[in-house]
Amino acid sequence: MSEHKYRTRYGIMTASQVGLDLLNRSAERLGFLQEVFDIVHHDGDGFTMPGYMTQGLAAILEDIKHDVWTAHNYYYGDDREPGKTDDAPEVRS
């Protein structure tokens, strides 16, 4: 039996495709953060992030948390339609 497709904020996809896409996005964001922290100069005791940089970091981490949690909910059966937009009907294709 094939999975149903849904209109999601990511396009017309199956729930498992959306879950995998969310995990891939999270891995890419974490890779970006790793690169940033690899090149930041520090003296071994840490560093200070000036201005609004901490808010940007917090936003990226919030996105990662949301995407991983949504994918987790799908894979453990708590949410069979991750990323499905409200009141979007199943796509009959």
Side-chain angles (χ1 to χ4, degrees):
M1 185 167 139
S2 67
E3 283 188 87
H4 300 293
K5 291 188 176 187
Y6 300 94
R7 295 184 199 284
T8 75
R9 58 182 160 269
Y10 312 107
I12 297 175
M13 305 171 85
T14 65
S16 60
Q17 288 171 323
V18 173
L20 183 58
D21 187 50
L22 292 170
L23 292 176
N24 287 337
R25 288 179 197 214
S26 296
E28 289 173 11
R29 289 183 182 125
L30 288 171
F32 168 76
L33 290 176
Q34 180 180 2
E35 287 182 31
V36 168
F37 283 99
D38 282 346
I39 63 173
V40 171
H41 175 73
H42 58 86
D43 60 8
D45 293 330
F47 59 92
T48 301
M49 296 178 76
Y52 292 102
M53 291 174 68
T54 56
Q55 291 178 340
L57 177 59
I60 292 171
L61 293 172
E62 178 69 22
D63 286 345
I64 292 169
K65 180 187 85 169
H66 174 77
D67 288 352
V68 169
W69 186 249
T70 302
H72 175 275
N73 285 343
Y74 168 73
Y75 287 113
Y76 285 95
D78 298 329
D79 181 356
R80 301 310 298 171
E81 304 165 13
K84 183 173 184 273
T85 54
D86 292 336
D87 71 6
E90 177 185 326
V91 176
R92 304 270 182 210
S93 57

